[in-house]
Amino acid sequence: MEKLRKLRPVLWFHLLVNVMVILFVTGASYYHIPLDGIKDTGIYLIHLLLLQTTVAGFIYFLSLNKWVFRVGFSALFLLYCGFSFWAYSQDLSITLPLVQSVLETKTDIAIDVITLPYTIFFLFAITALIFIHRKHGRIKPFNGFKLLVTPAALCIVLFFVLEEMRPGSLKNRLPYNLIGGLAEYYQKPELQLNKQIPDLSFKNDSIALVFVLGETVRADHIGINGYSRNTTPLLSEEDNLISFKKLFTNNTYTGASVPQILTDQDLETNEGVFTSLYSVLNKADFKTTWIGNQTLEKSFAPIANTNDEVILVDKFRSVFSFDKALDEVMLIPLDSILPSYYRQCITIQMIGSHWWYENRYTQEHRVFTPVIESKYIPSLTREQMINSYDNTIVYLDFFLNEIIERLKNETRPSVMLYVSDHGEHLGEEGKWLHAQGGEAAMNPAYMIWFSDSYIDRFPDRVTNIRSMKDARMNTDVIFYKTLSILGIDNSSF
Ligand SMILES: [Zn+2]
């Protein structure tokens, strides 16, 4: 009886901690489940309680040492709050794509997702944490140690029992999904690039390719692809432009899609040694230059670095700078390097239509209104989201037209190839942004423009490309088609 009396404050403390963890972390995985009636609600309530019971076991062991609890629990609690906010507000699942985007996405892009509600949520979480630590300081953790250690261990065992019975039922929810995503991320092998490029057959023609690597542009919002809004008034005037409506990729975020587009990696293969497009071009006597309005992510930096030269617009921009440069700043280095060698490939990596849309275009390109005013998506209407997004496409139309106009001044055969890394969700199935499945994020824009001198010189190549216009294809074709446009034999890859 005496023992039980002493145990009471410990039990109350753990009840409090677990309620807080449900509110700030685990509850987020259940918040968006559509429930119909009392039976559904009851089942998921039991599911949540079972999941929390397994978490309670881990929390108990953490709480046994004052410093482990202060440092370890606090760090984990705040880390999880960072993710649960997105699960609560946008129903995002914490999987490998999201983990990779968070770990590799540049701080300046990441800042664009921090909103006032996010800050308020965090302040509440910190307040809850201080409250928990105060209560923890008042109990003697070793009270009834022997009595609680067995039930706590059994709670942990329950996790494995339930996972055995229904694999994934707990693993796919907070807090376990983050551990799974991190484990998958760190098990992913580093990108291996092929350094021994086989001998190629090619002719030493003068030629210029501007390879524009777009960001977050879905094919069906491009005016010339038949979108109901004319988002591409300038490009629609270009007879030498071919747009491909049906390009698909499984990779819905930059870190996965860019390495696949710029190498001979196919969509089915994740491991192995791949060949960079630029290594091949260098071997074929091209001068290769990378101009980026994004800093290089770990996943594609080795590929960008196979260029002869890398120019990054944002290299010295502070991560505290909210105003990211508009893509047009890349036209300045483009102008200075375009006439520098007889065979050239210049890659331009855009920030494109990446969230937050309002930072991606000028006032002059604000064609569709009302636009988004906040960064907190649940407070915005679908109409505002689509208007702002479409304005970024109008800006893209201007930007690509600027490049085409420059290439028209070239006497040598010239090509502009534009391909976006992935698409974007605009409210389909309640989803927004990208780094998650669904066709809206898997159908990136893809178009190629040829100069008159290119068409005169290589009519067969143009006919061949034109014949693919309406074909359904995936991003595997980009590497090979780019080489064949430049007259390089691609059969050895
Ligand atoms: Zn991207």
Side-chain angles (χ1 to χ4, degrees):
M1 243 4 231
E2 177 64 9
K3 266 186 185 170
L4 274 179
R5 199 180 60 79
K6 279 187 173 175
L7 206 56
R8 200 180 293 160
V10 182
L11 290 173
W12 274 113
F13 167 74
H14 280 283
L15 183 66
L16 168 86
V17 179
N18 281 286
V19 168
M20 292 294 183
V21 171
I22 288 178
L23 287 176
F24 283 95
V25 183
T26 46
S29 292
Y30 294 83
Y31 184 68
H32 288 279
I33 296 173
L35 297 173
D36 184 23
I38 294 172
K39 198 180 158 206
D40 279 22
T41 314
I43 287 169
Y44 276 101
L45 197 61
I46 292 167
H47 199 289
L48 169 63
L49 290 177
L50 284 172
L51 176 121
Q52 191 58 40
T53 305
T54 68
V55 176
F58 291 103
I59 295 176
Y60 176 76
F61 284 104
L62 270 180
S63 75
L64 292 178
N65 179 285
K66 189 172 118 186
W67 287 104
V68 169
F69 189 71
R70 279 202 180 164
V71 179
F73 179 79
S74 305
L76 286 171
F77 186 73
L78 292 178
L79 172 76
Y80 275 111
C81 285
F83 281 94
S84 68
F85 178 80
W86 299 112
Y88 267 127
S89 66
Q90 279 184 54
D91 197 17
L92 285 187
S93 7
I94 321 294
T95 49
L96 174 71
L98 191 74
V99 169
Q100 187 168 355
S101 300
V102 169
L103 291 177
E104 292 188 4
T105 293
K106 291 67 68 171
T107 326
D108 39 6
I109 294 183
I111 279 172
D112 279 340
V113 298
I114 296 172
T115 57
L116 184 65
Y118 191 84
T119 316
I120 293 170
F121 182 78
F122 242 89
L123 288 176
F124 273 113
I126 291 168
T127 312
L129 196 60
I130 294 169
F131 185 61
I132 288 170
H133 283 303
R134 278 203 171 170
K135 292 278 177 198
H136 188 243
R138 290 197 196 129
I139 59 159
K140 296 190 181 71
F142 282 90
N143 261 357
F145 175 78
K146 282 179 193 161
L147 277 176
L148 284 184
V149 81
T150 313
L154 287 175
C155 289
I156 294 175
V157 170
L158 180 68
F159 170 84
F160 297 98
V161 172
L162 292 174
E163 268 299 310
E164 185 65 34
M165 286 163 63
R166 285 199 174 192
S169 60
L170 301 184
K171 253 192 213 166
N172 292 332
R173 294 192 155 84
L174 280 162
Y176 302 112
N177 52 7
L178 180 60
I179 300 165
L182 282 168
E184 226 182 303
Y185 176 73
Y186 285 106
Q187 280 161 11
K188 232 179 126 192
E190 287 270 309
L191 178 70
Q192 303 275 333
L193 287 179
N194 175 16
K195 302 220 163 57
Q196 308 293 321
I197 308 299
D199 280 329
L200 310 158
S201 77
F202 63 92
K203 292 195 182 79
N204 287 79
D205 298 299
S206 290
I207 195 161
L209 167 70
V210 177
F211 188 115
V212 185
L213 189 55
E215 177 64 72
T216 319
V217 174
R218 46 191 280 181
D220 63 347
H221 277 243
I222 299 285
I224 48 170
N225 284 349
Y227 183 42
S228 57
R229 285 174 159 178
N230 187 10
T231 49
T232 50
L234 299 169
L235 294 179
S236 63
E237 301 292 313
E238 292 296 340
D239 292 337
N240 295 358
L241 184 74
I242 303 165
S243 186
F244 306 84
K245 291 180 210 167
K246 296 178 195 161
L247 179 75
F248 290 91
T249 179
N250 309 333
N251 296 319
T252 56
Y253 59 104
T254 315
S257 68
V258 170
Q260 194 263 330
I261 286 171
L262 297 178
T263 63
D264 61 345
Q265 178 187 354
D266 63 55
L267 282 174
E268 305 300 321
T269 317
N270 294 316
E271 288 176 35
V273 180
F274 305 115
T275 302
S276 158
L277 176 70
Y278 309 109
S279 303
V280 180
L281 296 182
N282 290 339
K283 184 107 180 178
D285 202 24
F286 271 83
K287 184 179 181 210
T288 49
T289 310
W290 177 284
I291 306 173
N293 193 17
Q294 297 195 25
T295 40
L296 302 179
E297 282 184 17
K298 185 180 146 211
S299 59
F300 63 83
I303 303 169
N305 288 327
T306 54
N307 279 264
D308 294 319
E309 188 184 11
V310 176
I311 302 167
L312 298 179
V313 168
D314 261 354
K315 201 168 156 193
F316 301 111
R317 194 168 290 263
S318 156
V319 292
F320 300 108
S321 160
F322 279 74
D323 279 326
K324 241 192 114 53
L326 285 167
D327 284 319
E328 65 201 62
V329 299
M330 291 188 286
L331 297 172
I332 302 161
L334 175 68
D335 285 337
S336 68
I337 57 170
L338 196 53
S340 66
Y341 197 67
Y342 80 116
R343 284 161 77 75
Q344 277 190 286
C345 168
I346 300 162
T347 300
I348 290 187
Q349 190 187 19
M350 302 177 67
I351 186 68
S353 303
H354 199 287
W355 181 255
W356 193 57
Y357 310 138
E358 286 304 301
N359 278 359
R360 310 298 178 221
Y361 66 92
T362 65
Q363 186 74 32
E364 192 190 327
H365 299 99
R366 183 172 287 159
V367 174
F368 306 105
T369 53
V371 297
I372 53 173
E373 285 144 5
S374 152
K375 291 178 179 176
Y376 184 56
I377 295 174
S379 75
L380 301 165
T381 65
R382 185 161 192 235
E383 185 197 5
Q384 284 175 302
M385 289 290 279
I386 293 175
N387 286 341
S388 285
Y389 181 80
D390 285 347
N391 290 336
T392 69
I393 309 291
V394 177
Y395 183 79
L396 172 71
D397 176 65
F398 149 79
F399 182 70
L400 295 183
N401 187 62
E402 285 293 311
I403 295 171
I404 290 172
E405 289 303 321
R406 280 158 171 81
L407 292 177
K408 282 180 183 169
N409 294 330
E410 289 279 325
T411 48
R412 58 186 163 167
S414 305
V415 181
M416 187 219 53
L417 184 154
Y418 171 88
V419 62
S420 175
D421 59 346
H422 48 76
E424 181 87 324
H425 291 286
L426 291 169
E428 291 86 359
E429 300 166 44
K431 290 179 184 174
W432 300 98
L433 312 185
H434 53 270
Q436 47 185 332
E439 192 152 301
M442 296 165 81
N443 178 207
Y446 178 32
M447 41 194 144
I448 305 177
W449 175 90
F450 299 104
S451 69
D452 287 337
S453 55
Y454 185 98
I455 296 171
D456 290 345
R457 186 81 200 276
F458 310 110
D460 294 348
R461 290 186 201 164
V462 177
T463 309
N464 177 282
I465 292 287
R466 223 180 257 284
S467 71
M468 294 163 58
K469 194 176 175 298
D470 296 313
R472 191 182 167 95
M473 54 194 157
N474 67 42
T475 43
D476 292 354
V477 301
I478 309 281
F479 176 88
Y480 299 98
K481 282 291 158 203
T482 307
L483 291 180
S484 67
I485 285 169
L486 298 174
I488 300 166
D489 170 28
N490 59 28
S491 56
S492 42
F493 301 99

